[in-house]
Amino acid sequence: RLCWGGPPAGPAGTGKTETTKDLARALGLPCYVFNCSDQMNYQTMADIFKGLAQVGAWGCFDEFNRIMIEVLSVVASQVKYVLDAVVNFSVPGNREKKYANLPAGTPPT
C-alpha cells in the first residue's frame, strides 16, 4: 500500500533524475523521463498518465515548474484520481472477480 510516489527535491544538477532512474532500474521497473514545457496542457498530461498506468511504469517529470499554473491545477486532480485508484484496487475485494486472486501490483494481461 505504499504506492503514493514521491517527488525528489533539491537544487538543480544534484542527480534527482538519475537517482530516480537508477532506483527504478534496481526495482526492475520501466521509468520514462518527460521534459516539461509551457506547451503541455492537461490533455497531454492525461495521455502520459494513461500510458504510464497501462504499462506500470514510473514517470519522471523534469522541469515540472515550467508547466502553467492552470494546467498544474488539473494535473493535481489527475494525480489524485490515479493514486486513489491504486489504493482502491490494492484491496482484492474491490477488484473484478477475475483479478481478485492476483497479488497487488500485478498488471492484468
Side-chain angles (χ1 to χ4, degrees):
R1 296 185 192 243
L2 300 176
C3 298
W4 285 98
T14 56
K16 297 179 292 292
T17 300
E18 290 303 317
T19 300
T20 302
K21 288 171 29 182
D22 289 344
L23 180 58
R25 188 177 301 119
L27 295 172
L29 296 170
C31 180
Y32 296 98
V33 178
F34 300 94
N35 292 313
C36 299
S37 74
D38 57 354
Q39 301 299 309
M40 296 180 91
N41 59 28
Y42 74 93
Q43 188 60 48
T44 305
M45 297 300 290
D47 291 342
I48 290 171
F49 293 142
K50 283 192 280 189
L52 292 172
Q54 287 175 2
V55 298
W58 282 8
C60 185
F61 297 90
D62 270 352
E63 302 297 332
F64 196 72
N65 57 311
R66 291 186 183 179
I67 300 175
M68 294 186 308
I69 192 70
E70 296 85 3
V71 175
L72 288 176
S73 175
V74 176
V75 168
S77 296
Q78 292 171 336
V79 170
K80 177 145 179 29
Y81 293 141
V82 170
L83 294 178
D84 287 348
V86 168
V87 169
N88 184 44
F89 291 118
S90 67
V91 177
N94 294 340
R95 300 184 209 147
E96 294 179 39
K97 296 285 185 213
K98 62 182 177 180
Y99 302 121
N101 294 327
L102 295 175
T106 305
T109 55

